[in-house]
Amino acid sequence: MSSATGRLLIVHGPNLNMLGTREPGIYGSESLEDINALCHRAAADLGYDLDTVQSNHEGALVDAIQAARGTADGIVINPAAYTHTSVAIADALRATALPVVEVHLSNVHAREAFRSHSYVSPVAEAVIAGAGSTGYRFAIEHLAAYLSS
Ligand code: DQA
């Protein structure tokens, strides 16, 4: 039996499975496995269990987010390119009624103009951009603080 405080879901959007080799000057040299390990450590430090999911498919991400309702206490999401295009992912997050923290490895506001718009941000309790992989730790710490407040 788990003695955890609760359960968090980390959602990684398209192309994040390529981390480590994908434009490392922008996204860093850590792999998705490295980032998931970091997330597991951060969650465990705060007494939370953690699930992670990555997909390159919008519908699969919607399914994973819907499934979090009733199984997770909060969601950390890097929607990647779907940040800028997906009403469906934003609606799924809204439908869960769970607290959401949006993470971007890069500072999306210092890049192409289209990356400054996020469909997800209006649903998020907090948005962290440009802190690299540490942003995931910040997001988990924020969710834990939010959930215990
Ligand atoms: C990203 C930023 C997005 O604009 C981009 O499409 C990604 C990754 C980031 O983590 O910086 O795939 O979400």
Side-chain angles (χ1 to χ4, degrees):
M1 196 176 83
S2 171
S3 60
T5 310
R7 192 166 201 92
L8 305 177
L9 175 66
I10 312 287
V11 181
H12 303 286
N15 299 308
L16 297 178
N17 56 313
M18 303 286 287
L19 285 176
T21 57
R22 174 194 181 203
E23 299 184 90
I26 296 175
Y27 298 117
S29 57
E30 287 168 276
S31 67
L32 187 63
E33 289 68 29
D34 293 335
I35 289 177
N36 282 338
L38 174 161
C39 290
H40 276 286
R41 284 195 299 276
D45 286 350
L46 295 159
Y48 279 86
D49 284 333
L50 190 80
D51 295 311
T52 66
V53 61
Q54 188 277 329
S55 180
N56 295 324
H57 304 277
E58 187 175 20
L61 292 165
V62 168
D63 288 343
I65 292 163
Q66 287 183 6
R69 191 179 172 144
T71 61
D73 300 294
I75 298 175
V76 174
I77 184 166
N78 183 345
Y82 286 139
T83 307
H84 320 298
T85 64
S86 181
V87 174
I89 287 174
D91 279 352
L93 290 166
R94 205 173 272 114
T96 66
L98 292 170
V100 173
V101 180
E102 177 183 351
V103 173
H104 299 285
L105 292 155
S106 65
N107 178 358
V108 283
H109 302 290
R111 300 180 62 194
E112 302 96 321
F114 72 85
R115 294 189 202 273
S116 285
H117 177 261
S118 168
Y119 282 98
V120 170
S121 294
V123 189
E125 289 296 331
V127 181
I128 299 164
S133 62
T134 312
Y136 289 88
R137 173 173 280 278
F138 295 153
I140 289 165
E141 288 174 354
H142 180 72
L143 264 186
Y146 177 88
L147 288 166
S148 66
S149 67

